[in-house]
Amino acid sequence: MRIPLIAGNWKMNLTRAECVDLAKAVADGVGNATNYEAAVFPPSLYVDAVAGVLKGSKVAWGTQNMVAEGPGAFTGEICAPMLLDLGCTYVILGHSERRTLYGETDEIVNKKTKAALAAGLKPIVCVGELLAERQSGKTDEIIRKQFSGSLAGLSEAEFGKVVIAYEPVWAIGTGLTATPQQAEEVHAGLRKLIAERYNDTLSQTTRILYGGSVKPSNAAELLSQPNVDGALVGGASLKAADFLGIAAGVK
Ligand code: PEP
């Protein structure tokens, strides 16, 4: 059985105090929920403060990125041992903003994924097509390429710790959402790729999140799709009520 994961990517938003307040409100709202897991991803500088609030709660935390290297002479970067030091469970890797704004390739995402797994972190690896790629019928090809490249060379045991997030780039921060059918189709395709490379068991146990303008009003329908195992939420995760409203969409 796949426990849905509702993950909030706070991106480069909020002050330290606002992060602490939001984390408190999320932890209070999640309470002892057992039908889903929640995780938040504050700006790296504020993860420690948020961890202080979330310790002992049902809400996990992580960072929005890390490098594969280090520790060492990598000015300005953060690495897996630092995340562990802060009690992180998860790390988001290969988010489309990292890919498009900072030139992250599948190869880089793959290195990071391996480093995260080697350290005992659970990577949430993002894949997703651009609008032009969807419009020209290339969605399957792009997803297959990102899956093969970003998740190359993982053992079955390693892959078992990976969460995949399907985030169509055209739906991130735009207010446009994939229809539940569009999301379901890509998620089912990803599950097939896992079965082809590994086996049915791994395919059936891997969590595949949907991300792209998820909000309380569309969450329930997206989350009710058989192959959608949670949501990676950007904008709507900045308000506790909206994040919790999305979580309430988990049946
Ligand atoms: C995201 O950045 O991962 C995301 C899905 O953003 P939004 O929910 O704002 O579209």
Side-chain angles (χ1 to χ4, degrees):
M1 168 154 157
R2 305 185 295 263
I3 306 271
L5 173 63
I6 308 298
N9 174 10
W10 297 355
K11 307 196 185 186
M12 197 173 70
N13 292 300
L14 308 175
T15 63
R16 185 183 190 281
E18 287 166 342
C19 284
V20 166
D21 287 348
L22 179 55
K24 276 186 194 146
V26 168
D28 285 350
V30 170
N32 281 321
T34 51
N35 60 332
Y36 69 93
E37 282 178 26
V40 295
F41 297 82
S44 304
L45 282 173
Y46 303 143
V47 167
D48 205 17
V50 165
V53 170
L54 295 180
K55 229 165 264 167
S57 81
K58 298 268 297 189
V59 182
W61 60 92
T63 61
Q64 303 162 17
N65 184 32
M66 55 167 245
V67 292
E69 299 78 15
F74 297 89
T75 302
E77 299 294 354
I78 56 168
C79 62
M82 294 170 177
L83 272 61
L84 291 180
D85 197 19
L86 295 181
C88 294
T89 303
Y90 294 99
V91 56
I92 297 173
L93 296 175
H95 189 279
S96 73
E97 286 151 20
R98 302 289 323 165
R99 291 178 185 263
T100 55
L101 300 174
Y102 300 100
E104 282 194 15
T105 59
D106 286 328
E107 197 186 353
I108 293 172
V109 177
N110 186 236
K111 276 196 192 141
K112 292 183 177 193
T113 302
K114 286 177 174 162
L117 288 166
L121 293 160
K122 295 183 187 173
I124 299 179
V125 179
C126 305
V127 296
E129 80 287 1
L130 303 169
L131 184 58
E133 292 166 341
R134 174 162 282 271
Q135 286 172 338
S136 56
K138 290 202 174 129
T139 300
D140 283 358
E141 184 191 321
I142 297 299
I143 299 298
R144 183 178 282 270
K145 185 173 154 291
Q146 291 179 342
F147 174 86
S148 308
S150 299
L151 296 167
L154 305 185
S155 69
E156 202 179 315
E158 286 173 327
F159 197 93
K161 306 229 163 45
V162 170
V163 177
I164 298 176
Y166 168 54
E167 299 208 301
V169 180
W170 49 271
I172 298 179
T174 59
L176 296 174
T177 316
T179 64
Q181 293 70 30
Q182 285 172 324
E184 173 59 18
E185 199 179 311
V186 174
H187 285 226
L190 278 163
R191 224 174 273 299
K192 222 166 130 206
L193 292 176
I194 303 167
E196 275 168 19
R197 194 202 288 178
Y198 297 99
N199 52 55
D200 282 343
T201 310
L202 199 48
S203 166
Q204 288 307 314
T205 49
T206 302
R207 287 187 293 187
I208 307 176
L209 315 184
Y210 169 77
S213 298
V214 179
K215 40 192 185 241
S217 59
N218 61 21
E221 210 188 342
L222 284 159
L223 294 168
S224 70
Q225 299 304 306
N227 286 298
V228 175
D229 309 314
L232 180 52
V233 186
S237 70
L238 296 173
K239 289 202 176 120
D242 286 351
F243 184 74
L244 296 165
I246 289 167
V250 176
K251 287 291 154 286

